[in-house]
Amino acid sequence: MRSLIFKDLALLRSSRLFFIGLLYSLFIIFDRGGSDSALGTSTFFLVFISYIFVNYLNSYDYMNHGDRFVNAFPVSRKQVVEGRYGSVMILVICFLVLSYGLRTLLWILGYPYATGVVNIPQFTVVIFAVCLYYGIMLPLYFKLGYEKLRWINLISLIIVSVASTVISALIGSFPLFSKWWMPILGIFVGWIVLRISLQRAVKYYESRDF
């Protein structure tokens, strides 16, 4: 599985998408949106970024028959699915670390719109939104393929991103959602969603006829 993850990351590096991700991160940290505003855009962009990378990987497999190429090697279909899930999670985690790390630096330097290191309600919503989105879309991708899912994928991503922004704005006013353990709860629930999703994706992909 590690070799499949390295393959995905090498593909993104060769396409120079990593540079786009870095520029995107710089844009986000200067964004004035926040979870306490319905007009805030930070949550939207934090959810949206991973789509750029994952959609490229999926479209590359479709355009270049990468799925058939990988299946010609001595790897099981289960390992192929686990590798893509691993790539998605690594990309999401690295981007969040980069974004919040840069925000922390701005906060230390006294940037006026960096009011804190981590906005807990927003961070919780981002974790859950990302896990829910990929928990639904990845099994469908492995069942239907990229072409059939292309527009549904984009529309679903926009809906999830906008909904997460609105939800984070609404729950930001409730003290309960500012507790330190809320992100931990979000990670736990998200892990369950992804675990079930992975099992479904493996089942779909193993029974798929290319």
Side-chain angles (χ1 to χ4, degrees), residues 45-118:
F45 288 116
L46 285 168
V47 174
F48 182 77
I49 177 59
S50 60
Y51 169 82
I52 299 174
F53 298 101
V54 178
N55 185 68
Y56 177 82
L57 293 174
N58 293 342
S59 63
Y60 181 89
D61 286 345
Y62 168 70
M63 295 296 295
N64 297 279
H65 304 290
D67 46 4
R68 299 184 183 182
F69 178 76
V70 170
N71 282 312
F73 285 88
V75 294
S76 66
R77 292 194 177 187
K78 179 180 179 181
Q79 290 174 314
V80 173
V81 175
E82 291 175 342
R84 183 53 52 87
Y85 270 77
S87 299
V88 170
M89 290 302 101
I90 288 175
L91 289 169
V92 170
I93 291 172
C94 288
F95 177 73
L96 289 178
V97 170
L98 177 62
S99 297
Y100 282 107
L102 291 174
R103 282 185 176 183
T104 301
L105 179 61
L106 288 180
W107 179 65
I108 294 174
L109 296 176
Y111 179 65
Y113 294 104
T115 57
V117 177
V118 176

Side-chain angles (χ1 to χ4, degrees), residues 117-133:
V117 177
V118 176
N119 187 306
I120 291 180
Q122 180 193 61
F123 188 49
T124 304
V125 171
V126 168
I127 292 172
F128 187 72
V130 169
C131 292
L132 182 62
Y133 171 71

